[in-house]
Amino acid sequence: MNDMPAGPVYLDNAATTFPKPVSVLEKAMETYRRIGVSPGRGGYDLAAEAEEFVRETRRKAARFFGSSAPDRVIFTGNATDALNIAIQGMLHPGDHVVSTRLEHNSVLRPLYHLRQKRIIEYDLVPFDGKGFVDPADIIAAIRPDTKLVVVTHASNVLGTVQPIREIGRRCAEHGVPLLVDAAQSAGAVPIDVDGWQVAALAFTGHKSMLAPTGIGGIVLAGQTEDIEPSRFGGTGIDSASPVHTRDFPYRLEAGTLNLLGIIGLSGSLDYLGEAGIEAVHAREMELVTKLRDGLSLITGIDLYCAEDLSDHVALLTANVRGMDPHDVGAILDADFNIAVRTGVHCAPLVHESLDTSPGGSVRFSVGPFNTGSDIDLTLEAMKEIARHGGKG
Ligand SMILES: Cc1ncc(COP(=O)(O)O)c(C=O)c1O
């Protein structure tokens, strides 16, 4: 349990998990108070200690993501930052990219930007009626000039977990690197960068990894050399040179690192290691299943891609027939003190495909500190809303 003051029923954990484990926050504060100097920049003991803490966190993160290359763990601000650095760094003028209609704007917009600048071209493959991309469709879209495949691991709208192992194997057979957006899956489902032949994986700390905001990263495959920096600056290495270092991980890190965030991430990796991500996920999925079962009994509620919750993270998307999802969210908040996310969730093409544009949907996302009673209250509220506001 997390000893926090009572607040709303918080079902917006896919945006950011809340609350964070108290032990993670307390440990972060204690460690930052002790070693909060600029890591790797000074010759004094405390700087060396801070740098060693950062290095140890790279090792921990590499182990957590199934990578044997801690020096290829790059710290970034979040998944958006990681995806921008990876996409811009891995592509060259004239390249073609294959991605999917499940993607978040943190993939779609960097790709669109590069296409508008006439630097790249891309094709997006569809997902099926259950919310999954067929690896064969990805392979079929590969052209001779395809230099990158980008796939979201878990959809932030549908919750479906894509078959990355198979996609990775098939991309490797075609010699095309695979970049995975693990924003929603990191900390929720086990990830094996080396075993799945993933070239680069972008993660964020503040969702299922249970770290504070402001920290994320890229886990690059061990032998990656073909990635160029898009930001340049101080690294603490070779400071007299006008050229940004080629050494990893510093090649892709410029400026002072977010040490407090890295300390938070280190603590959250310990927390997840102790709690076991499978156990946390199983409990969350029990609650999501209870929510799905309850919602599916309410007349006038449409659920999307939730018939089978295996290969799913702990979120559900629904609409009350005849009601604007923003109104549903506003009523849940104002009348029932339940926090959810409404709209298109930064994934507009998912909603286009579901035919839920432009309003989008209501997303319920469960975290480790939700309880059965949160789900009961939500189901009661949704019953009321569907009875009074919706069209059965
Ligand atoms: C699938 C997906 N990708 C990327 C992101 C971006 O994560 P962040 O806001 O931490 O950069 C999100 C956040 O909602 C997401 O759900």
Side-chain angles (χ1 to χ4, degrees), residues 60-274:
K60 259 190 214 174
R63 271 197 303 278
F64 184 78
F65 288 115
S67 157
S68 52
D71 66 335
R72 297 293 200 281
V73 173
I74 316 296
F75 288 123
T76 66
N78 48 37
T80 306
D81 200 20
L83 287 161
N84 272 273
I85 292 169
I87 288 171
Q88 293 184 39
M90 295 171 90
L91 292 172
H92 305 94
D95 287 350
H96 174 256
V97 179
V98 175
S99 189
T100 83
R101 291 182 63 84
L102 280 176
E103 303 309 307
H104 186 275
N105 275 336
S106 54
V107 169
L108 295 176
R109 287 181 171 170
L111 292 180
Y112 183 80
H113 172 78
L114 293 176
R115 185 167 73 183
Q116 287 304 96
K117 294 253 173 202
R118 301 186 191 287
I119 294 171
I120 64 158
E121 292 177 4
Y122 61 86
D123 286 299
L124 302 177
V125 304
F127 53 92
D128 66 18
K130 294 184 169 168
F132 294 93
V133 171
D134 184 343
D137 289 343
I138 292 176
I139 300 308
I142 289 178
R143 314 190 316 204
D145 56 349
T146 302
K147 293 292 156 47
L148 187 66
V149 168
V150 192
V151 181
T152 189
H153 192 186
S155 162
N156 66 312
V157 180
L158 300 172
T160 47
V161 176
Q162 306 304 312
I164 297 298
R165 180 196 297 275
E166 188 183 344
I167 296 170
R169 179 179 61 74
R170 298 186 65 171
C171 284
E173 280 167 10
H174 286 75
V176 181
L178 170 64
L179 166 62
V180 174
D181 173 3
Q184 291 293 343
S185 59
V189 294
I191 288 175
D192 185 2
V193 165
D194 288 353
W196 297 352
Q197 304 182 69
V198 169
L201 179 123
F203 71 89
T204 202
H206 67 98
K207 298 184 193 276
S208 288
M209 297 196 73
L210 306 176
T213 49
I215 186 70
I218 311 169
V219 183
L220 291 174
Q223 298 317 311
T224 308
E225 281 302 328
D226 191 12
I227 183 162
E228 293 301 316
S230 47
R231 299 171 314 172
F232 308 87
T235 57
I237 297 172
D238 210 5
S239 294
S241 169
V243 179
H244 191 95
T245 181
R246 305 287 298 164
D247 293 351
F248 286 106
Y250 315 106
R251 185 191 295 189
L252 301 175
E253 290 174 350
T256 305
L257 289 172
N258 175 5
L259 181 61
L260 181 55
I262 291 168
I263 291 171
L265 182 68
S266 169
S268 72
L269 285 165
D270 292 344
Y271 178 90
L272 289 171
E274 280 161 30

Side-chain angles (χ1 to χ4, degrees), residues 291-293 295-296 301-307 316-319:
L291 181 62
R292 188 272 317 267
D293 291 348
L295 288 174
S296 60
I301 290 193
D302 292 322
L303 272 162
Y304 304 98
C305 301
E307 300 79 25
L316 284 182
T317 291
N319 266 323

